[in-house]
Amino acid sequence: MLKLFLKIATRYLLKNKLYSFINIFGLAIGIASFVLIMLYVNYEKSYDKFEGSEYVHRVFMDYLEGGEYVPGDANAYIVSGPTLKDEFPEIESFVRFRRIRDLVVLNNNTPYDGIVGSLADPEYFDVFDHGLVRGDERTALSEPYSVVLSTSVAKKIFGDTNPIGQSLKIAGDASVTFTVTGVMDNSNRNTHIKNDLLISFKTFYTWKIFENDWKYTWNQNEYFTYIKVDNSTDVALLNQKVMAFTPEGLKNERHHLEPIEDIHLYSNKPYEAETNGNGHNIKLLSIIAFITLLLSWMNYMNLSSSKSLERAKEIGIRKVVGGKKSQLTLQFLSESALLNFMAILLALCAVLLLLPGFNAIIGQNLGLDGPQLQALLPYLGIMLLGATLAALYPAFVLSRFNPAKVLKGQVQTSKNGFHFRKALIITQFVATISLLICTFMANKQIHFLKNRPIGANLDQVIALKGQVLDRAYDSIFYKDFDVLLEELKRNPYVADVSCARTYPGDDFSNMNSNIGLTFPNGHTDETHIWYNYGARSNYFNLMGMDFVAGDAFLQTTEKRSHNVVVNEEMAHFMGVEDVNTLIGKTVKFWGQDWAVSGVVADYNHLGMKSAVVPTIIRHDRNTQNTLVKLDKKAITLAGVDKALDELERTWHQVFPVSTYNYTFLDQKFEALFNEDRKFAKAFQIFTILAILIASLGLFGLTSYTCTQRKKEIGVRKVNGATITQILQLLNQNFIKWVGLAFVIAVPIAWFAMHKWLEGFAYKTNISWWVFVLGGLVALSIALLTVSWQSYKAAVANPVDALKNE
């Protein structure tokens, strides 16, 4: 019987090629869109998921501001982990990380750079449940100057040789030898804190690189701290106790716990280990995934219903010759199963073809393999259930036709059925208009961020950075660095040079966060956070920053002076109305007095998603980043590549034994909102697909309406109705439905975009024209879709419609 049903179903689908194509194509678009989006959503949700991860939490700090605690940095103090473990028996173990970026590892004097590492406690392998592929987890990080490498770094340095027991050195202190005690495989690990290399934490207390930090306890929070609790612990209650606990030496701050599984999507604090994802974007993409899938099911129901009148006589005859309702239902379900099977195959082919392009948009390397495919299995049940429910409605409608009425030509669908299909179309256009409005708003916001002045000119500014391998950071080194700057100034491609600890768009970690500042009027603030970094005198000129009062630091041959420049936000922070009165006044921090030489106009140092923060720029002959402003005329004639080659040649001329890399500041700054740009593009693509699916659904209902009103149209034409009048008759209801959908969609889209824009410190306004544009685009799409079918009905020969009367 089943074989017969499938044979009949195949014949019917082949006979009705347009109907079959639209149905299969619509379902395939919905399924492919759903699979692509959920691959990305599952990837983002998979961060920091490992065995026992539900018991692991990060410790971060809240700061007391204005009488209330607010979330502060992602870091904690060096003693936070040990102190909390001693105080709360629920905590089984802890691990601390002290990040060391841009490590250069030396093996037989061969440098390997671009490595991100951390100091880590030996409990790392217990808290994170990350095993070693080589070495002993119990002892790998237990002794000073022990190092654990990732498999990729071990392969890079030692090739196929067993690295255990091998010796390494780290640039900056080549007097110390490290021993490789383990190799960890983190190649397939999604985590918010990535490490290519781990150094035993005991190394910290004797390693000269950190000798200035040995004495700090509650004075320097540069440590990522994670705790693992007993599996019977009430974490909410523990968190309350942790926040209420005030250890001696900690003022105006408190510890706070957050689940490690939530960090990637829902934490966006200063000094995060990596750039995290966006939970709001993931939620919106998940909604789009289910909307596109739902729209495709609605289409199937609409298109199947629209064909019901054409199949009425077939059903009537089959019932007269003994066909049972259950058999007819199974017949139509077998057609649906065959159609869905073909749609799924087409969708999977589309996913495989589109995946490389989709990966390019989102910046990932997703695939239909192993864990990623396994993560989709729970959604397979949803897709099968939805497809079954979508197939049941038309199957029951078709099998219920009365054979006597059908064979007399008296069959008509019920008003309930018509209203149901109308509701489906309205729902489709509510979704379509909402997505259109959200797409226009997302693009408007990205355009706003891209074109908003940041208060600095990053065009043609390059940051040079490298690790000098053959000397320490002593007075001779600084003199050689001055030689480098002088050589760069003589370069014909260079307009200006300077140095700074950081620059707009750089990592948050290169700024110092502080609490405690004495204002010029003598008032001391001990509760609010402010930031500072060091730079040379001509830093402001090179960066194109404007002064609203005073000027930059005075030129000096000293390594540093006690002059500072503050931004306008810092002036407001200190309660100063006339910034000119600040010039020459003294502020006090770090136990020293600092003279204010200038007030610079506010600029966005941390990207456009963050507000301007109160900042002090100290005079310091810092050498961390060499900033070079290229001469536009020179590089226009010779080309950027030639200029870059000359910069590298000059660098290696002064520091022949060193690493070298460069970064264009404007590109790095724009990269800070790359995630939002990718999200807007993905949103746009899937909105277009949703529109296509909705258009197919509207095509189906138009076809159904024209079929149902075929005789009415014939009678009207015989009585003198024009084509324009027929088109108006057939289209007016659809226009009303789109209008109703618009009214429903406006508040939905406004709420969604209002919530999304909350994640930006600087946001565009939600303009009225965005809603109007979304409605007009949807109406245009509807009219184009409807008019094609309506026109065919309007120009048809009325004799064909009336000849059966």
Side-chain angles (χ1 to χ4, degrees):
M1 183 67 73
L2 180 61
K3 183 177 180 181
L4 177 62
F5 286 159
L6 290 175
K7 187 175 182 180
I8 296 172
T10 303
R11 287 177 176 175
Y12 178 77
L13 294 178
L14 290 174
K15 180 181 177 183
N16 297 273
K17 293 182 179 62
L18 180 60
Y19 160 80
S20 302
F21 170 77
I22 293 174
N23 249 330
I24 293 171
F25 187 63
L27 284 169
I29 292 174
I31 295 170
S33 300
F34 182 83
V35 170
L36 285 172
I37 295 175
M38 296 315 297
L39 275 173
Y40 176 61
V41 169
N42 286 339
Y43 176 83
E44 289 291 292
K45 288 183 175 181
S46 70
Y47 271 72
D48 298 302
K49 298 286 179 69
F50 52 86
E51 186 176 352
S53 61
E54 64 270 29
Y55 307 120
V56 179
H57 301 263
R58 184 173 71 179
V59 181
F60 69 94
M61 306 307 298
D62 287 338
Y63 296 137
L64 184 64
E65 289 193 357
E68 294 183 359
Y69 282 101
V70 297
D73 298 344
N75 295 330
Y77 293 89
I78 190 171
V79 292
S80 293
T83 301
L84 294 178
K85 185 179 185 302
D86 291 341
E87 183 69 20
F88 301 102
E90 299 97 323
I91 299 176
E92 290 185 344
S93 54
F94 70 89
V95 62
R96 294 163 295 182
F97 293 118
R98 170 70 183 260
R99 300 284 273 175
I100 312 174
R101 295 180 180 274
D102 301 321
L103 269 170
V104 178
V105 176
L106 302 173
N107 179 38
N108 296 326
N109 294 322
T110 301
Y112 299 89
D113 62 349
I115 297 174
V116 177
S118 296
L119 295 165
D121 288 298
E123 290 80 6
Y124 170 84
F125 301 104
D126 174 48
V127 173
F128 287 93
D129 193 34
H130 296 161
L132 293 177
V133 295
R134 291 180 184 270
D136 187 343
E137 298 171 15
R138 296 169 300 175
T139 60
L141 293 173
S142 61
E143 297 298 326
Y145 303 102
S146 299
V147 62
V148 173
L149 307 177
S150 67
T151 50
S152 58
V153 171
K155 178 75 173 178
K156 181 179 180 181
I157 297 175
F158 297 105
D160 296 328
T161 305
N162 184 356
I164 301 299
Q166 298 285 344
S167 297
L168 292 173
K169 293 183 181 294
I170 293 179
D173 187 4
S175 64
V176 176
T177 299
F178 290 82
T179 301
V180 179
T181 56
V183 177
M184 57 184 178
D185 185 7
N186 58 0
S187 56
N188 295 319
R189 189 177 301 156
N190 288 342
T191 176
H192 74 283
I193 183 165
K194 300 176 178 64
N195 287 293
D196 302 314
L197 175 150
L198 295 176
I199 300 171
S200 59
F201 206 90
K202 285 185 179 180
T203 308
F204 170 81
Y205 299 103
T206 55
W207 199 7
K208 288 186 178 180
I209 286 179
F210 295 109
E211 63 181 333
N212 292 328
D213 298 343
W214 293 343
K215 61 181 179 292
Y216 289 116
T217 54
W218 296 109
N219 297 314
Q220 192 176 42
N221 59 334
E222 293 187 14
Y223 304 85
F224 293 100
T225 303
Y226 301 83
I227 62 168
K228 185 176 183 180
V229 301
D230 181 81
N231 56 15
S232 61
T233 301
D234 183 339
V235 178
L237 178 60
L238 174 62
N239 195 27
Q240 291 297 322
K241 293 192 292 184
V242 166
M243 288 191 290
F245 171 61
T246 306
E248 185 178 354
L250 190 63
K251 297 180 180 179
N252 300 317
E253 293 179 76
R254 70 181 184 189
H255 294 97
H256 199 147
L257 306 181
E258 61 183 336
I260 191 173
E261 295 179 353
D262 292 348
I263 292 173
H264 177 68
L265 289 180
Y266 301 105
S267 180
N268 187 29
K269 300 178 182 65
Y271 303 103
E272 291 284 358
E274 308 284 346
T275 301
N276 285 332
N278 188 313
H280 294 299
N281 288 356
I282 294 302
K283 287 179 181 178
L284 284 174
L285 285 175
S286 299
I287 291 171
I288 293 176
F290 281 96
I291 285 175
T292 52
L293 194 58
L294 186 62
L295 291 179
S296 66
W297 291 335
M298 289 179 178
N299 275 359
Y300 176 76
M301 289 188 285
N302 263 334
L303 289 168
S304 298
S305 299
S306 69
K307 298 291 290 184
S308 61
L309 289 181
E310 297 180 18
R311 304 192 69 177
K313 288 185 179 179
E314 173 199 342
I315 296 163
I317 293 172
R318 293 180 65 178
K319 279 192 171 184
V320 167
V321 298
K324 296 179 181 179
K325 182 179 178 180
S326 60
Q327 291 175 323
L328 291 171
T329 302
L330 287 174
Q331 170 63 55
F332 297 130
L333 286 175
S334 66
E335 290 179 8
S336 174
L338 180 61
L339 192 144
N340 275 276
F341 176 73
M342 296 173 68
I344 290 172
L345 286 181
L346 181 61
L348 291 177
C349 292
V351 168
L352 293 173
L353 289 173
L354 297 174
L355 204 51
F358 184 64
N359 282 332
I361 293 173
I362 63 174
Q364 298 295 347
N365 187 28
L366 306 179
L368 287 173
D369 57 345
Q372 294 177 1
L373 184 60
Q374 186 178 356
L376 288 175
L377 292 180
Y379 299 110
L380 181 61
I382 296 175
M383 288 191 285
L384 292 176
L385 177 62
T388 302
L389 293 176
L392 285 174
Y393 172 73
F396 282 126
V397 168
L398 289 168
S399 62
R400 288 173 59 188
F401 283 148
N402 186 309
K405 290 185 177 180
V406 166
L407 297 176
K408 290 180 181 180
Q410 297 175 349
V411 63
Q412 286 188 348
T413 57
S414 67
K415 288 185 177 180
N416 289 336
F418 178 75
H419 291 323
F420 178 70
R421 284 183 288 276
K422 181 173 73 174
L424 291 180
I425 287 295
I426 293 173
T427 302
Q428 285 181 312
F429 270 89
V430 167
T432 300
I433 295 171
S434 298
L435 292 175
L436 278 169
I437 294 171
C438 290
T439 298
F440 294 146
M441 273 304 305
N443 287 329
K444 186 171 184 279
Q445 172 66 10
I446 298 302
H447 185 266
F448 172 80
L449 292 178
K450 186 176 181 180
N451 292 280
R452 187 180 188 276
I454 68 170
N457 184 5
L458 308 184
D459 187 37
Q460 303 299 339
V461 179
I462 302 174
L464 309 182
K465 200 170 184 179
Q467 176 74 54
V468 179
L469 305 175
D470 60 345
R471 69 191 73 181
Y473 289 88
D474 52 18
S475 58
I476 298 176
F477 169 80
Y478 284 105
K479 288 181 180 178
D480 284 348
F481 218 93
D482 289 338
V483 171
L484 171 68
L485 297 183
E486 291 302 319
E487 289 294 325
L488 289 172
K489 286 179 183 178
R490 286 194 284 269
N491 191 305
Y493 302 106
V494 175
D496 198 3
V497 295
S498 186
C499 289
R501 169 78 177 176
T502 184
Y503 48 81
D506 192 19
D507 295 332
F508 214 129
S509 58
N510 289 327
M511 294 182 74
N512 297 311
S513 63
N514 308 266
I515 294 179
L517 178 68
T518 300
F519 302 164
N521 62 8
H523 170 71
T524 298
D525 185 290
E526 293 284 357
T527 61
H528 293 83
I529 305 171
W530 55 277
Y531 298 85
N532 80 83
Y533 63 93
R536 298 201 178 196
S537 300
N538 56 333
Y539 166 76
F540 306 97
N541 182 61
L542 182 144
M543 300 301 296
M545 296 178 181
D546 296 325
F547 279 86
V548 294
D551 209 335
F553 326 113
L554 297 175
Q555 293 284 356
T556 175
T557 57
E558 297 297 323
K559 183 177 178 181
R560 64 173 58 90
S561 68
H562 283 85
N563 290 322
V564 296
V565 168
V566 304
N567 66 350
E568 290 178 284
E569 185 63 26
M570 174 55 80
H572 299 151
F573 175 76
M574 294 188 290
V576 176
E577 294 184 4
D578 184 0
V579 293
N580 290 287
T581 62
L582 268 178
I583 307 305
K585 298 293 179 62
T586 299
V587 295
K588 186 173 183 178
F589 59 92
W590 295 355
Q592 297 177 331
D593 292 330
W594 304 77
V596 178
S597 63
V599 179
V600 70
D602 281 339
Y603 68 96
N604 289 96
H605 193 97
L606 306 174
M608 301 303 292
K609 294 188 70 172
S610 302
V612 174
V613 295
T615 305
I616 292 177
I617 300 99
R618 299 173 283 105
H619 176 248
D620 190 346
R621 293 177 66 202
N622 193 285
T623 59
Q624 180 153 336
N625 293 287
T626 302
L627 302 174
V628 177
K629 179 81 171 182
L630 297 178
D631 186 283
K632 286 188 176 181
K633 292 182 179 179
I635 63 173
T636 299
L637 294 173
V640 175
D641 291 340
K642 177 65 175 176
L644 294 175
D645 290 341
E646 283 296 307
L647 294 180
E648 184 173 5
R649 184 192 62 78
T650 303
W651 176 281
H652 285 301
Q653 180 181 327
V654 179
F655 299 117
V657 185
S658 67
T659 61
Y660 171 84
N661 57 70
Y662 65 89
T663 302
F664 280 92
L665 268 58
D666 55 350
Q667 295 176 4
K668 190 166 184 178
F669 191 89
E670 286 194 11
L672 293 176
F673 54 93
N674 264 351
E675 291 299 317
D676 295 292
R677 186 186 289 110
K678 292 173 184 176
F679 165 75
K681 193 167 184 178
F683 203 107
Q684 182 178 349
I685 291 171
F686 290 112
T687 296
I688 292 171
L689 294 177
I691 292 171
L692 179 58
I693 294 172
S695 299
L696 291 173
L698 189 59
F699 176 89
L701 189 58
T702 307
S703 174
Y704 166 81
T705 302
C706 292
T707 301
Q708 190 181 40
R709 303 181 72 173
K710 186 176 181 181
K711 289 188 175 65
E712 176 192 349
I713 295 169
V715 171
R716 288 179 179 274
K717 289 192 71 175
V718 168
N719 286 286
T722 63
I723 293 176
T724 302
Q725 290 172 327
I726 298 297
L727 287 174
Q728 183 179 356
L729 173 71
L730 294 174
N731 290 358
Q732 61 185 358
N733 283 334
F734 293 105
I735 296 173
K736 292 178 184 178
W737 298 343
V738 174
L740 178 59
F742 175 76
V743 173
I744 299 171
V746 165
I748 295 173
W750 181 90
F751 177 78
M753 284 296 97
H754 179 73
K755 296 296 291 183
W756 183 66
L757 288 172
E758 286 180 353
F760 297 87
Y762 304 99
K763 53 183 78 76
T764 185
N765 59 314
I766 303 180
S767 305
W768 62 268
W769 61 263
V770 173
F771 297 93
V772 174
L773 181 61
L776 288 176
V777 170
L779 180 61
S780 301
I781 293 168
L783 286 176
L784 286 172
T785 305
V786 169
S787 296
W788 181 54
Q789 283 290 95
S790 301
Y791 182 77
K792 285 174 62 179
V795 299
N797 191 338
V799 175
D800 295 333
L802 301 176
K803 64 182 179 181
N804 291 327
E805 291 296 326

